[in-house]
Amino acid sequence: MNAAETPVHIESLTAGYPGVTALEDVSLRLRPGTITALLGANGSGKSTLFSALLGMVPTSKGRISIFGTDSARARRRNLVSYVPQHEQIDPTFPVTVEQVVMMGRYPHMGFARLTRPADRDSVDHALAQTRLIDFRKRSIGELSGGQRKRAFVARALAQRAPLMLLDEPFAGVDRTSEHLITQVLQDLKAAGTTVLISTHHLEGVHSLADEVILLHRRVLAAGPPSQVLTDEQLAQAFGEALS
């Protein structure tokens, strides 16, 4: 697999914030068309790793490659989409679900952001995938927590990037939304998209993920779920939080 085909290749990455080293000597590689679960307790560096992949946090050492290019170029070339754990959109702001999902098409639009048939088709398809067609004209603030998370997943779907990052996509969602998001991720994988999700919930990881990475500032273990999710390695990653 050459660099241009490798969705994510991180070598010896050390990153963090002033006075805080959140990641230390992290190396990992994602295979195309797979779902990888990034597991770790709160504060283990999962969100920092996502920020580093998006070029949003300083790195003091190491290298990040996304489809053979750096983070900034990858974002400009629309190679990566992102679903954050906490969305910055004000739920009281009068914006509809359809308008939120259309934001995923902004990288494809010119400065004037004039929508084309391809943009509208992508939004329609994303709304259908997340079962939000009937909610498209509602204000984003009217949705439940699970529905709102699905709307932000739909925004990322509409972008149609070959790599999707999801930070804690199952946190605080209802069972219906959890199952829908899981199905969407499996459909993305089947279509060739590479997916990286962070989570501290172990339930369902065996059936969802092709690969698992245990993180606690460093990569503690990486590989198929059956090899990584052992009692010993989980205790190392989660400690008392697992009990």
Side-chain angles (χ1 to χ4, degrees), residues 141-157:
E142 296 179 41
L143 302 187
S144 68
Q147 290 168 340
R148 196 176 302 169
K149 178 69 77 171
R150 280 153 51 193
F152 298 131
V153 170
R155 181 183 61 185
L157 289 172

Side-chain angles (χ1 to χ4, degrees), residues 6 90 116 131 197 209 236:
T6 305
D90 183 350
R116 303 162 301 170
R131 297 189 189 176
I197 68 169
Q236 187 180 7

